[in-house]
Amino acid sequence: ASYSICSGGNVQFQASGGNSYQWTPSTGLNNPNIANPFASPSVTTTYTLTDTSSSCGSGSKTVTVYVTNSTTLNISASNQNICSGSSVTLSETNGVNCTWKDGNGTILGTGTSITLTPTGTGTYTATPLNTACNSSSVSMTINVLQSSVLNLVAPATACVGSSITLSVSGGNGNYTWVGDGLTSTTGSTVTAIPTTGNPSSFYSVYSTNGICT
């Protein structure tokens, strides 16, 4: 006879017809001297049952308990915060094959990982394909951040050596300026004194949330 259990589980043996029982080895048994002990071995184990009351050599019986290791699902993302239009890979780090679903329950694919290009922030769920000894589903939210849209105000013309004011609004508020003669490179409003006019001075401003520019 044989049984299959997940690690941490147990099974109860069923024996009859004897008067005095002995199960060996006793490892994982709650009582090796009764007919119907509970067995919870940590590894696959073969048990032998002997009727110790028999003087006629009634023989013995064996029972094997096959143990499958339980696996806890754990998913990771290549980046949990991404820019709009970017891709992200979700992976089950213990190598468990899963079914991947979006927040609406739509199946996106199967396997140990999946690559997505989300159009907006959403939650994704991994469920083990073989649920026998694996934990239940786990989920992760991927945040999709939008790129900045900036409004720049600057004079169309300026004299070399004269001070001009540049200002910007919109975006994520963390502004970095690049250009000729800037007295500061950060802030929503900066001053510049152009030092060249061949034929123009160009100014750029970037806004970033640390991920998307």
Side-chain angles (χ1 to χ4, degrees):
S2 64
Y3 300 91
S4 294
I5 64 171
C6 299
S7 59
N10 64 67
V11 63
Q12 187 175 22
F13 296 153
Q14 302 292 330
S16 60
N19 296 304
S20 181
Y21 302 94
Q22 182 177 28
W23 296 88
T24 55
S26 60
T27 305
L29 300 179
N30 68 324
N31 187 336
N33 302 119
I34 61 175
N36 305 317
F38 283 92
S40 56
S42 59
V43 297
T44 296
T45 303
T46 297
Y47 294 93
T48 300
L49 171 63
T50 303
D51 181 0
T52 57
S53 66
S54 174
S55 60
C56 298
S58 60
S60 59
K61 300 293 183 180
T62 61
V63 177
T64 299
V65 180
Y66 295 96
V67 180
T68 300
N69 288 331
S70 299
T71 301
T72 299
L73 288 190
N74 182 58
I75 58 175
S76 65
S78 54
N79 196 334
Q80 200 167 352
N81 300 298
I82 63 173
C83 299
S84 177
S86 297
S87 297
V88 60
T89 298
L90 302 179
S91 302
E92 202 298 306
T93 59
N94 292 320
V96 178
N97 283 306
C98 298
T99 298
W100 299 88
K101 298 180 181 180
D102 63 14
N104 296 318
T106 301
I107 295 176
L108 305 174
T110 59
T112 57
S113 64
I114 189 171
T115 299
L116 311 167
T117 306
T119 57
T121 295
T123 299
Y124 301 90
T125 300
T127 303
L129 287 174
N130 179 6
T131 59
C133 291
N134 292 318
S135 64
S136 56
S137 303
V138 291
S139 300
M140 175 175 285
T141 297
I142 301 299
N143 301 305
V144 178
L145 308 176
Q146 301 301 315
S147 297
S148 304
V149 177
L150 305 180
N151 301 305
L152 177 63
V153 177
T157 61
C159 298
V160 173
S162 298
S163 176
I164 60 172
T165 298
L166 308 172
S167 62
V168 65
S169 61
N172 299 296
N174 298 313
Y175 303 110
T176 301
W177 295 82
V178 177
D180 175 41
L182 290 167
T183 59
S184 175
T185 58
T186 59
S188 59
T189 300
V190 296
T191 299
I193 303 174
T195 60
T196 179
N198 11 310
S200 303
S201 291
F202 293 95
Y203 297 93
S204 301
V205 61
Y206 301 90
S207 176
T208 179
N209 53 19
I211 299 172
C212 307
T213 300

